[in-house]
Amino acid sequence: MFLDGEDWRAKFRDFQTEAWRLETLPQYLVPQEAEEIEAFRAGKRINPETFSCEYTARLKRQRREGRRQGRVHVVTRPLSEYLEFEFSRYYRPHALAGEEIRILDVTGRENPLPGVQDFWMFDRTTVVLMHYEADGKQISREVYEGDPAPFIEYQRIALAESVPFLEFLRG
């Protein structure tokens, strides 16, 4: 089953305890971000302490409700321009709003998750595979129909091998 529109939004509205993502690409081409990327290239920055949008408001609400959202992004250095943008524009304010963001830096070491594609997992029962072109353009989202156990293991490995986002920035 392919997800889009209201069905996709419902995954974030209706999860009970946890929404979690694995990100593996150095770049995501999102047309809605084009203007923000240009502003980033021009040196315009946001204040993550005061930045607010619908997404950060949702993260704060979920936290108050006892629901968690997190992700691990697999990276290599030097970081791509997109990752520098994403870290400053999204990750900082999202981490401050309560998203549990971690970084798995595989620079100079073996990737513990070779060949694992991007996915979202909701309540450790529903997995949504994220399909992308090689350049990071999203093709589709697909509900995985099999056993979620391998994805739970991928999450375990990703969490064990990564560091919190803010710690990554300091180190």
Side-chain angles (χ1 to χ4, degrees), residues 68-87:
R68 296 184 324 273
Q69 184 167 314
R71 72 182 65 221
V72 170
H73 200 139
V74 180
V75 304
T76 56
R77 290 186 233 187
L79 297 178
S80 67
E81 178 189 50
Y82 180 84
L83 286 178
E84 290 177 4
F85 159 75
E86 184 176 54
F87 283 13

Side-chain angles (χ1 to χ4, degrees), residues 9-163:
R9 287 186 293 277
K11 294 292 182 202
F12 293 92
R13 183 184 62 236
D14 299 341
F15 76 87
Q16 299 298 302
T17 58
E18 180 185 53
W20 190 84
R21 174 163 179 158
L22 179 69
E23 292 180 301
T24 64
L25 301 178
Q27 170 177 285
Y28 295 91
L29 294 180
V30 181
Q32 302 89 322
E33 293 177 347
E35 193 173 301
E36 294 172 15
I37 289 174
E38 287 308 313
F40 174 80
R41 287 178 178 145
K44 295 180 182 167
R45 301 295 188 262
I46 63 162
N47 181 343
E49 303 285 335
T50 59
F51 179 79
S52 183
C53 66
E54 184 179 325
Y55 192 87
T56 56
R58 179 170 53 86
L59 288 169
K60 290 175 183 178
R61 184 178 62 255
Q62 289 169 348
R63 274 299 224 208
R64 286 191 305 271
E65 296 167 351
R67 301 186 302 150
R68 296 184 324 273
Q69 184 167 314
R71 72 182 65 221
V72 170
H73 200 139
V74 180
V75 304
T76 56
R77 290 186 233 187
L79 297 178
S80 67
E81 178 189 50
Y82 180 84
L83 286 178
E84 290 177 4
F85 159 75
E86 184 176 54
F87 283 13
S88 68
R89 179 70 171 87
Y90 298 121
Y91 282 11
R92 282 179 187 261
H94 295 174
L96 293 171
E99 186 171 2
E100 299 165 12
I101 302 170
R102 299 178 66 86
I103 304 298
L104 197 170
D105 187 350
V106 296
T107 305
R109 66 176 245 194
E110 188 175 323
N111 183 347
L113 297 169
V116 177
Q117 77 177 87
D118 284 39
F119 67 90
W120 274 97
M121 183 165 50
F122 300 91
D123 297 322
R124 296 187 171 196
T125 59
T126 302
V127 174
V128 177
L129 301 174
M130 307 295 287
H131 300 290
Y132 295 93
E133 297 282 355
D135 65 0
K137 180 181 179 190
Q138 188 176 77
I139 302 167
S140 66
R141 301 177 197 101
E142 176 187 6
V143 175
Y144 177 73
E145 301 293 339
D147 182 359
F151 296 91
I152 294 169
E153 179 63 6
Y154 299 150
Q155 180 189 34
R156 186 197 66 73
I157 293 167
L159 292 171
E161 297 285 333
S162 62
V163 298

